[in-house]
Amino acid sequence: MKKKTVQSILYQSFCLLIGLMTIAPILYAVSLSFMEQREILTKGIHLLPDKIQWKNYKEALRLTHLVRYMLNSLILAGGSSVIRVAVAGLAAFSFAFFDFKGKNVLFMLCMSTMMIPGDVVLITNYKTVADLGLTDTYFGMMSMFLVSVMNIFMFRQYYLTFSMEIYEASKVDGCGNFIFFIKILFPLSKPVTATVFISSFVSTWNTYLWPMIVTNKDTMRTVQVGVTMLNSRDGGTIYGPIMAASVMVLVPTVIIFILFQKQIAGGMMAGSVKG
Amino acid sequence: MKKSRKIEPYLYILPALLYFTVFSFYPFLKTIGLTFFTVNANGQVKAFAGFDNYIHVLTDTAFLRSVWNTLVYVVLASPLAIFIALILAVLANKKTRTSAVYETMFSLTMAMSMSVTAMIFKIMYNPNIGLINKLLHVKINWLNDPEIAMVSVSLISVWLNIGFNFLFLLAAIRGVPGELLESANIDGANLYQKVRSVILPLISPTVFFLICSSLAKNIIMAGLPIILTEGGPKGSTSTMIYYMYKQAFGNMSYNDAYAAAVITFLFTLIAMLVSFSFEKKGVHYS
């Protein structure tokens, strides 16, 4: 018995060590963000800062509109996630609760968008958004992330398990379909809604290419674009502030991920099951 | 469910369908259509061009280099990220008191964005002050040596994809019936044998899914070269979508960009078809 406990402790320590190695780049970035320039430039291996100081953070905030970038990213990620939930939920409601002509064809049509990678149609979409005068606007930035077929699929899978009796009973009580969706189905489907919202929030917050292409004004940049701009500003010599900015950008998603791992993981698995 | 002839169910799908039409089907067909025309720097159609744009791109050494780089990247990054995640998933399979902690650590790269990760690795790759050279006691110019820059970029993507792959593989391995592993134990199988002949066959659908999704994701990668290398040095890190991006937004050459986009799409399609044919041979569904 005792040998087993020792073995288990050793095994867990080993796993934790591997875990630390896996996230070492993140830990190192945090450590660098607290170092003085001379500590970063030192010849030897210097893993931890001599003392915690916030100079790099102040400098990062002074050099960029990081607070504004945060706000932009929040609007982009929050706004498009809300729209995603609404549009996907509604479409899934139709696919799960109604029987109508062409339903399977329409569903396959939606699913076929998975075969068209967003980056392949990037330029044409940029042209569309530019022609509509939507560059440097929040709507232009969100336009690429408003609907995901994966979300429709996830909602549909969840709705298909919903009790038909409740639906029929509410009909008998004279409740219209839309009212049923808003008042009954949607509130009773919080887990799937949370999964869709959180996973699309994290992925939109982390997205780089599209927001970079549709924004030119500095005040409209997202955090992901802003943090790379800091790089080119002084020829990449201001490592401390760059790492401080990076840490400020990664902390929100890392915290969301740690808090809501179950929802995010559950959502991914649900999405991968072929229906 | 009665067949309803009402318009109602269509109305609920309408927003999604409209969106897909405007931002997926329309640009897809338009991109394909435009590859057969010459387009000026403002994106206006000038004349019918047949296959000239494709011929131009396919004889452009910069594009061929980008195809090669993309293949190197895909072949390196996709399997390595799955392999490392598999090792981590085998490690984390047994539930212990602290397993929640290291499971979170193993999957945490999923929360990381490409741009922040690129900034962190840029410092770690720095030939003079970077941690990697210091730890390995070498003087490698990771991102500025044309010979290895693409490998360095691939390693960043490997790290980024560990978390995603890990979560899927862990769920799959935990789904392997305990009795099967028990009987393998009784037969005196070691860990490698257990993984090779019990776990791997049973989780192959998940592995297959991960191969498909990482191929599709990696073929269209452009973010890392844009942020880190601008395709350089000497075009050694230019990927297909990076080439498309540069031709469109850097050189205003939409002819090349559209043709490159469609060729890239064909690559993703081929990758999918190859994966599917592999599925028939190697994947066991119980």
Side-chain angles (χ1 to χ4, degrees):
Chain A
M1 195 64 209
K2 199 144 186 224
K3 195 181 158 210
K4 246 189 167 163
T5 327
V6 174
Q7 245 178 13
S8 175
I9 289 171
L10 278 176
Y11 185 78
Q12 292 179 49
S13 314
F14 179 70
C15 287
L16 288 169
L17 184 72
I18 300 287
L20 285 175
M21 280 165 66
T22 312
I23 61 166
I26 305 174
L27 300 176
Y28 186 57
V30 174
S31 171
L32 281 174
S33 74
F34 290 113
M35 285 188 196
E36 304 258 4
Q37 181 82 344
R38 60 169 175 77
E39 293 176 69
I40 298 173
L41 296 180
T42 178
K43 280 246 172 339
I45 295 170
H46 194 71
L47 289 179
L48 292 170
D50 293 340
K51 67 176 200 311
I52 302 286
Q53 45 90 18
W54 298 91
K55 219 161 65 187
N56 292 326
Y57 286 85
K58 286 181 196 141
E59 189 69 3
L61 290 169
R62 192 182 65 77
L63 284 172
T64 63
H65 299 104
L66 202 64
V67 177
R68 178 65 200 251
Y69 299 158
M70 292 258 182
L71 183 71
N72 292 342
S73 285
L74 196 67
I75 294 172
L76 168 66
S80 39
S81 303
V82 168
I83 297 174
R84 264 192 193 202
V85 166
V87 176
L90 213 51
F93 171 51
S94 181
F95 283 128
F97 281 84
F98 294 85
D99 207 2
F100 51 91
K101 221 178 153 192
K103 175 167 138 171
N104 288 333
V105 175
L106 288 175
F107 188 66
M108 288 324 285
L109 201 64
C110 287
M111 293 304 278
S112 73
T113 57
M114 271 198 304
M115 292 303 291
I116 305 174
D119 292 352
V120 167
V121 290
L122 192 76
I123 304 160
T124 318
N125 278 336
Y126 172 74
K127 288 267 171 217
T128 307
V129 168
D131 287 345
L132 294 170
L134 291 173
T135 48
D136 281 324
T137 64
Y138 289 117
F139 190 74
M141 280 153 75
M142 283 184 216
S143 61
M144 212 50 23
F145 314 106
L146 295 181
V147 189
S148 149
V149 68
M150 229 49 251
N151 297 158
I152 297 179
F153 187 75
M154 281 155 67
F155 270 116
R156 176 179 163 270
Q157 295 299 91
Y158 194 87
Y159 289 169
L160 283 175
T161 64
F162 195 86
S163 145
M164 266 294 159
E165 277 102 67
I166 299 180
Y167 176 57
E168 297 297 341
S170 75
K171 255 188 170 170
V172 172
D173 289 348
C175 173
N177 283 317
F178 189 69
I179 302 295
F180 164 76
F181 173 70
I182 294 288
K183 290 253 165 92
I184 299 170
L185 182 62
F186 196 70
L188 287 177
S189 308
K190 282 199 192 96
V192 68
T193 309
T195 298
V196 169
F197 185 86
I198 293 162
S199 55
S200 69
F201 187 94
V202 170
S203 72
T204 321
W205 176 277
N206 281 346
T207 195
Y208 169 76
L209 196 52
W210 177 255
M212 191 264 287
I213 286 170
V214 290
T215 53
N216 293 310
K217 268 197 250 155
D218 188 44
T219 50
M220 286 305 287
R221 300 237 183 257
T222 62
V223 281
Q224 305 299 339
V225 182
V227 85
T228 63
M229 295 283 152
L230 199 58
N231 167 45
S232 51
R233 185 172 304 232
D234 281 338
T237 49
I238 45 162
Y239 300 109
I242 292 177
M243 281 303 102
S246 299
V247 170
M248 284 188 271
V249 174
L250 71 83
V251 158
T253 44
V254 166
I255 290 177
I256 292 176
F257 182 82
I258 292 172
L259 290 179
F260 298 107
Q261 291 185 64
K262 286 230 164 63
Q263 280 87 341
I264 294 175
M268 281 166 29
M269 306 299 162
S272 73
V273 178
K274 298 268 151 56
Chain B
M1 278 192 280
K2 265 197 319 215
K3 279 252 188 226
S4 75
R5 251 171 248 174
K6 275 192 279 180
I7 184 172
E8 198 182 2
Y10 299 101
L11 278 180
Y12 297 140
I13 313 175
L14 193 65
L17 273 182
L18 266 179
Y19 179 84
F20 289 141
T21 308
V22 176
F23 287 107
S24 223
F25 299 127
Y26 161 74
F28 182 62
L29 296 175
K30 189 180 171 188
T31 304
I32 294 176
L34 283 175
T35 56
F36 297 105
F37 293 89
T38 46
V39 177
N40 69 9
N42 294 321
Q44 284 149 337
V45 174
K46 284 291 157 196
F48 183 71
F51 283 95
D52 286 359
N53 293 327
Y54 287 102
I55 293 166
H56 186 252
V57 163
L58 289 171
T59 51
D60 182 357
T61 47
F63 182 70
L64 296 177
R65 185 81 208 257
S66 304
V67 174
W68 171 251
N69 292 336
T70 308
L71 292 179
V72 168
Y73 170 74
V74 169
V75 167
L76 266 176
S78 307
L80 195 56
I82 295 173
F83 180 70
I84 294 175
L86 182 64
I87 294 176
L88 295 179
V90 171
L91 266 184
N93 180 25
K94 199 164 70 184
K95 283 203 168 133
T96 63
R97 200 168 294 181
T98 54
S99 56
V101 179
Y102 53 76
E103 276 169 39
T104 305
M105 289 181 185
F106 293 162
S107 53
L108 199 62
T109 68
M110 244 194 84
M112 295 296 288
S113 71
M114 194 176 256
S115 41
V116 166
T117 307
M119 301 312 283
I120 295 173
F121 273 83
K122 187 177 182 156
I123 292 183
M124 299 209 309
Y125 274 148
N126 186 296
N128 299 314
I129 62 155
L131 189 63
I132 295 178
N133 272 357
K134 284 182 192 171
L135 285 176
L136 299 176
H137 295 289
V138 287
K139 274 242 168 264
I140 295 174
N141 213 335
W142 295 94
L143 292 170
N144 282 315
D145 181 342
E147 296 285 317
I148 55 161
M150 199 66 224
V151 177
S152 312
V153 169
S154 307
L155 291 177
I156 301 177
S157 133
V158 168
W159 185 75
L160 264 172
N161 287 319
I162 287 176
F164 180 84
N165 295 340
F166 165 76
L167 276 180
F168 275 93
L169 291 168
L170 181 67
I173 291 180
R174 289 217 170 127
V176 173
E179 309 94 67
L180 284 179
L181 293 174
E182 281 302 314
S183 62
N185 277 340
I186 292 164
D187 292 345
N190 62 29
L191 185 63
Y192 170 76
Q193 285 164 333
K194 269 193 289 185
V195 171
R196 177 84 180 72
S197 41
V198 181
I199 294 177
L200 219 46
L202 283 170
I203 65 165
S204 57
T206 303
V207 175
F208 166 71
F209 164 78
L210 289 175
I211 291 172
C212 287
S213 67
S214 65
L215 282 179
K217 199 161 57 182
N218 285 339
I219 287 176
I220 57 168
M221 192 278 290
L224 291 173
I226 291 175
I227 298 166
L228 287 174
T229 59
E230 292 173 351
K234 294 187 188 145
S236 60
T237 56
S238 170
T239 58
M240 286 192 274
I241 292 290
Y242 179 80
Y243 175 90
M244 178 201 86
Y245 162 83
K246 204 186 72 187
Q247 293 301 331
F249 298 110
N251 302 335
M252 296 294 156
S253 170
Y254 291 105
N255 297 322
D256 291 353
Y258 288 133
V262 172
I263 293 170
T264 311
F265 168 74
L266 290 177
F267 269 94
T268 59
L269 201 64
I270 291 168
M272 285 295 139
L273 295 178
V274 171
S275 308
F276 278 119
S277 72
F278 162 81
E279 180 192 24
K280 290 208 183 80
K281 282 181 217 138
V283 182
H284 307 255
Y285 291 96
S286 50

